[in-house]
Amino acid sequence: MAIRIGAGTIRLEKPVAIAATAAVGSRMEKEGPLGAEFDRLVEDSSFGEKSWEKAETKMQTLAIELALQKGNTTAEQVDVMLGGDLLNQCIASAYAVREQGRPFLGLYGACSTMAESLTLASLLVESGAARKALAVTSSHFCSSERQFRFPLDYGGVRTPTAQHTATAAGAALVGMAGPITVREVCIGRVVDLGVTDMNNMGAAMAPAAWDTLRQYFTDTGTSPADYDKIITGDLAQVGSDLLVRLAAEENCDLRPRYTDCGLMLYEREKQQVDAGASGCGCSAAVMCAHFLPAMQQGKYRNILFMATGALMSPTACQQGESIPGIAHLLHLTAKGGTN
Amino acid sequence: MAIRIGAGTIRLEKPVAIAATAAVGSRMEKEGPLGAEFDRLVEDSSFGEKSWEKAETKMQTLAIELALQKGNTTAEQVDVMLGGDLLNQCIASAYAVREQGRPFLGLYGACSTMAESLTLASLLVESGAARKALAVTSSHFCSSERQFRFPLDYGGVRTPTAQHTATAAGAALVGMAGPITVREVCIGRVVDLGVTDMNNMGAAMAPAAWDTLRQYFTDTGTSPADYDKIITGDLAQVGSDLLVRLAAEENCDLRPRYTDCGLMLYEREKQQVDAGASGCGCSAAVMCAHFLPAMQQGKYRNILFMATGALMSPTACQQGESIPGIAHLLHLTAKGGTN
């Protein structure tokens, strides 16, 4: 039974756990600060395929297979897979799960997808609808640039607010037992403060991040000091600064606990990624390569993970629409973790 | 508590009900056989907006508002909205729910979206994660043609296997009490038998439909005779014939109980829609305008609804990929309904 706490938070009464995770990346991710923590790094970002889209499918397939392997689980033991990605019609996921032959729920949450899939996977396991569920997502720099901005060959100049889409995939196996427990989830609302700059996703997402985080703090009566880490998906420099400022305006100091996956995946100056990393694969890989394994090793015991998505459509932007943001939150604890 | 039955079916133990539905369409839908049953018909398919995409958002907003109104429910009383559509980045839904200010889970299941959103809405209500949930989807002929095929002005010639995308939206309010009970759900797998013809979605979806239906019959030990109606989403003429044939090959005669929303929305010959109707909005509107109200009136007591989706991407098709299909199923009963 899931219990509603306050106006927007859902507490999981039965034990739901993240049993195993896997992260896959490419050359840029290898050269970044977290390179050594990935499960698989394929330097050739084509992954041996003939198109960037097929490469992304291959990368997501690798993440699924590695997570299953690390969880000593066969695909047949997974009752449902939940995933999505940034490509139109979410084809990276559709073609990746096609090979698995398991029930599939396709999601679209832009870069919030890892939190959305983990939230739903956790709720389905808690309710008994699934014994094991797998959450997966990916992004690929080259397929994203072509679809959302310019073909790579065009050599478009980037703005300082732009973020570099991670070429990465993350998969997490959710079940009834495992080292990391899912305590609560908070499903976010679509928030849009009118940002229209397609090269400033961080600014578009920050208000949604604060909306969800404030809801969760209000519902649970907790504050940043109650957590070891508060981790957002891919706000990068511009969005992170904005989130900290939005929180400060309501007398909430996030800084002592706060970090953002978009600031962790690359060395910004050296790797020339402007404001930082982005893409569904960014927070998926940083969580699956770094934070969730670190929790398993006892380095963190009590965290909030909130992936943020900019529901940005080139068509809508060309029609003068602003970019809506969304953010979903999970409260995770490891053995000995409180709250 | 949801109970797993067999390898793929989930039985809802606590009462979950469809409390209210609403369907919105345009001129073609008004002129079709179900015209009189829609809640709102707006002959001008621009819905007074400046783009087809904004028109689709407006249509979906109308469906949400009408369903809430019919269910005597305010948006604030809905704990989560679940929706998606055919547009890249699912913008019809994102902009429609932006106005509602409620927690949102974005889905991508192509034309299976209404069954996917109803399935998840039902599971979330059953588990206690939501007291009320709203499932919504839409499609628009003009926004779809531009995105998936040709701009309307090009005047592309259609093949006899082509389907006409419905300009329609459907919304259903799911709660703990209401006239229609959700008994079981069956989440489908991605099935791909190699169809590469972008103008033959029915053939791409039929194998997925049979895969899910066969799974459900096996899990529950039931057969077509146990139901008043077995309703697929939008297989239309080509796909329906194929589904009946696939079932017959395994000694299952669907014909006495079977119908398809894609064959009901328009008068095929007179309205020149080739193989029939398609689009997320097709099965959403046929269910919300016709079948669910008919159940409420006691005309049907025991049905299977299975929306079918072709996860078709123009980019993937141009790269030689085939079109994967998926289908999700719900078993619904009305008062006095059995099983």
Side-chain angles (χ1 to χ4, degrees):
Chain A
M1 187 75 189
I3 310 284
R4 294 192 59 85
I5 309 287
T9 298
I10 302 161
R11 183 163 291 162
L12 280 65
E13 286 288 291
K14 289 198 195 154
V16 174
I18 298 176
T21 63
V24 178
S26 189
R27 186 180 55 79
M28 286 272 290
E29 293 66 37
K30 183 178 180 179
E31 293 169 356
L34 305 179
E37 303 184 67
F38 275 74
D39 295 280
R40 186 76 60 87
L41 290 155
V42 179
E43 292 212 38
D44 169 10
S45 63
S46 81
F47 285 71
E49 298 288 334
K50 285 184 179 166
S51 74
W52 301 125
E53 290 77 15
K54 285 177 198 270
E56 191 175 338
T57 291
K58 182 71 171 291
M59 186 169 58
Q60 205 175 117
T61 303
L62 279 173
I64 294 172
E65 289 173 355
L66 286 164
L68 291 175
Q69 210 176 312
K70 289 172 75 180
N72 291 315
T73 298
T74 61
E76 291 66 39
Q77 293 174 299
V78 175
D79 289 326
V80 61
M81 296 190 173
L82 302 103
D85 54 86
L86 293 176
L87 297 181
N88 295 340
Q89 294 83 46
C90 300
I91 48 173
S93 313
Y95 289 112
V97 300
R98 180 178 67 177
E99 309 309 318
Q100 306 297 327
R102 303 308 301 149
F104 174 62
L105 293 167
L107 309 178
Y108 186 76
C111 303
S112 74
T113 304
M114 196 64 196
E116 184 181 359
S117 59
L118 273 175
T119 293
L120 278 168
S122 302
L123 291 171
L124 294 183
V125 168
E126 209 263 353
S127 79
R131 288 155 301 191
K132 289 188 178 187
L134 188 127
V136 65
T137 190
S138 65
S139 57
H140 195 298
F141 174 71
C142 304
S143 59
S144 275
E145 285 296 303
R146 170 154 71 189
Q147 181 179 288
F148 288 107
R149 292 172 192 94
F150 302 106
L152 294 181
D153 309 359
Y154 179 81
V157 175
R158 299 161 58 83
T159 70
T161 58
Q163 297 173 228
H164 183 97
T165 305
T167 299
L173 186 65
V174 177
M176 289 175 279
I180 298 159
T181 305
V182 183
R183 299 283 172 174
E184 286 126 11
V185 296
C186 187
I187 301 168
R189 305 188 282 190
V190 173
V191 176
D192 186 339
L193 294 193
V195 172
T196 53
D197 179 357
M198 284 170 65
N199 293 305
N200 195 349
M201 297 290 103
M205 295 187 282
W210 177 234
D211 189 70
T212 301
L213 194 53
R214 179 179 47 198
Q215 183 71 57
Y216 178 77
F217 285 149
T218 306
D219 291 343
T220 55
T222 61
S223 70
D226 293 312
Y227 305 93
D228 294 341
K229 278 281 172 197
I230 296 169
I231 306 154
T232 50
D234 57 344
L235 294 179
Q237 197 60 60
V238 178
S240 294
D241 289 348
L242 272 172
L243 173 61
V244 167
R245 207 198 304 171
L246 287 168
E249 280 172 10
E250 300 188 33
N251 300 315
C252 174
D253 186 5
L254 290 180
R255 288 170 303 174
R257 297 289 191 264
Y258 175 57
T259 190
D260 178 69
C261 299
L263 292 171
M264 295 179 63
L265 190 60
Y266 303 124
E267 278 190 57
R268 279 172 62 211
E269 294 288 320
K270 198 175 137 199
Q271 294 189 280
Q272 298 184 329
V273 295
D274 302 300
S278 70
C280 302
C282 170
S283 68
V286 172
M287 291 304 292
C288 292
H290 177 70
F291 280 111
L292 298 174
M295 287 185 81
Q296 201 167 342
Q297 291 152 23
K299 287 185 198 156
Y300 306 107
R301 293 191 158 173
N302 192 26
I303 69 161
L304 298 182
F305 165 51
M306 185 167 56
T308 43
L311 305 170
M312 189 272 278
S313 144
T315 302
C317 285
Q318 283 156 12
Q319 293 176 6
E321 263 292 5
S322 51
I323 303 166
I326 193 162
H328 306 296
L329 176 150
L330 293 103
H331 174 208
L332 307 173
T333 60
K335 258 195 191 115
T338 52
N339 201 1
Chain B
M1 185 76 189
I3 310 283
R4 293 192 59 85
I5 308 286
T9 299
I10 303 160
R11 183 164 291 162
L12 281 64
E13 287 288 291
K14 289 200 194 154
V16 174
I18 298 175
T21 64
V24 178
S26 188
R27 186 179 56 77
M28 286 272 291
E29 293 66 36
K30 182 179 181 181
E31 292 169 357
L34 305 179
E37 302 184 67
F38 275 75
D39 294 281
R40 186 75 59 88
L41 290 155
V42 179
E43 292 212 38
D44 169 11
S45 63
S46 81
F47 285 71
E49 298 289 334
K50 284 185 179 166
S51 74
W52 301 125
E53 291 76 16
K54 285 177 197 270
E56 192 174 336
T57 291
K58 182 71 173 290
M59 185 169 59
Q60 206 176 117
T61 302
L62 278 173
I64 293 172
E65 290 174 353
L66 286 164
L68 291 176
Q69 209 177 313
K70 289 171 75 179
N72 291 316
T73 297
T74 62
E76 290 67 37
Q77 293 174 299
V78 175
D79 289 326
V80 61
M81 296 190 173
L82 303 104
D85 54 86
L86 294 176
L87 297 181
N88 295 341
Q89 294 84 46
C90 300
I91 47 173
S93 312
Y95 288 112
V97 299
R98 180 179 65 177
E99 310 309 318
Q100 306 298 326
R102 303 307 302 147
F104 174 62
L105 293 166
L107 309 177
Y108 185 76
C111 302
S112 73
T113 303
M114 196 64 197
E116 184 181 359
S117 58
L118 273 175
T119 293
L120 279 169
S122 302
L123 290 171
L124 294 184
V125 168
E126 210 264 352
S127 78
R131 289 154 300 191
K132 289 189 180 188
L134 187 126
V136 64
T137 189
S138 65
S139 57
H140 194 298
F141 175 70
C142 305
S143 60
S144 275
E145 285 297 302
R146 169 153 72 189
Q147 181 179 289
F148 288 107
R149 294 173 190 94
F150 302 106
L152 294 182
D153 309 357
Y154 179 81
V157 176
R158 298 161 59 83
T159 69
T161 58
Q163 296 172 229
H164 183 97
T165 305
T167 299
L173 186 65
V174 176
M176 289 177 278
I180 299 159
T181 305
V182 182
R183 299 283 173 174
E184 286 126 11
V185 297
C186 186
I187 301 167
R189 304 189 283 190
V190 173
V191 176
D192 186 339
L193 295 192
V195 171
T196 53
D197 180 356
M198 284 170 65
N199 293 304
N200 195 349
M201 296 289 105
M205 295 187 281
W210 177 234
D211 189 70
T212 301
L213 195 53
R214 180 180 46 199
Q215 184 70 58
Y216 178 77
F217 285 148
T218 306
D219 291 342
T220 55
T222 60
S223 70
D226 293 313
Y227 304 93
D228 295 340
K229 279 280 173 197
I230 297 169
I231 306 154
T232 50
D234 57 343
L235 295 178
Q237 196 61 60
V238 178
S240 293
D241 289 349
L242 272 171
L243 172 60
V244 167
R245 208 199 301 171
L246 287 167
E249 279 173 9
E250 299 188 33
N251 300 314
C252 175
D253 186 4
L254 291 181
R255 288 170 302 174
R257 297 288 190 265
Y258 175 56
T259 191
D260 178 68
C261 299
L263 292 171
M264 295 179 64
L265 189 60
Y266 304 123
E267 277 191 57
R268 280 172 62 211
E269 294 287 320
K270 197 176 137 200
Q271 294 188 280
Q272 299 184 328
V273 295
D274 300 301
S278 70
C280 301
C282 170
S283 68
V286 172
M287 290 305 291
C288 293
H290 176 69
F291 280 112
L292 297 174
M295 288 185 81
Q296 201 167 341
Q297 292 152 23
K299 287 185 195 156
Y300 306 107
R301 293 191 159 174
N302 192 24
I303 69 162
L304 298 181
F305 165 53
M306 186 169 54
T308 44
L311 304 169
M312 189 273 278
S313 144
T315 303
C317 285
Q318 283 156 13
Q319 293 176 7
E321 263 291 4
S322 51
I323 302 166
I326 194 160
H328 306 297
L329 176 149
L330 294 103
H331 174 207
L332 306 173
T333 60
K335 257 194 191 117
T338 54
N339 201 0

